[in-house]
Amino acid sequence: MTKTRSTAELEEPQAKHQSRPVDERVAAAAAPPLLGYSIQEFCTAVGISLSFFYELKQAGLAPRTMKLGSRRIISVEEAQKWCRERTEASESAKREAWQP
């Protein structure tokens, strides 16, 4: 006697497979280390808009970029340096504002 499987039983393993969470540690181990950001990725990472990035660039306050082919990349080191400099400038401005 052959047991016939219902359509729901046939679809069930697929549904279980699709809803299974991805182990992020495995995905991270397989990905190469991040060495640079596109300008859009940098803006997303630091929480600023693309237009504000270009305002900063015009004012000479944006991080340095490097050209790779037709793309502009911001190295991770440059992004970290920029964040440190902006933090220091912000703290400096606060101290100056509170000087008696």
Side-chain angles (χ1 to χ4, degrees), residues 6 23 29 32 38 41 45 48 53 57-58 69 91 96:
S6 71
D23 187 348
S38 68
E41 289 169 335
I48 62 173
F53 173 85
K57 185 175 171 110
Q58 189 128 26
E91 290 172 357
E96 289 175 11

Side-chain angles (χ1 to χ4, degrees), residues 26-88:
V26 173
L34 180 67
L35 299 175
Y37 296 100
S38 68
I39 292 174
Q40 183 62 57
E41 289 169 335
F42 172 79
C43 291
T44 301
V46 297
I48 62 173
S49 68
L50 196 55
S51 61
F52 186 62
F53 173 85
Y54 286 108
E55 286 178 31
L56 290 170
K57 185 175 171 110
Q58 189 128 26
L61 298 173
R64 293 183 314 160
T65 62
M66 61 182 146
K67 190 165 181 162
L68 293 174
S70 62
R71 298 182 64 205
R72 288 272 170 195
I73 303 294
I74 301 167
S75 71
V76 170
E77 292 83 9
E78 185 63 29
Q80 291 170 340
K81 177 183 167 195
W82 180 85
C83 286
R84 280 191 307 276
E85 289 171 352
R86 295 294 93 220
T87 301
E88 289 169 8

Side-chain angles (χ1 to χ4, degrees), residues 1-13:
M1 179 189 227
T2 308
K3 185 175 178 183
T4 308
R5 295 174 83 181
S6 71
T7 306
E9 289 174 323
L10 290 172
E11 292 174 358
E12 186 179 325

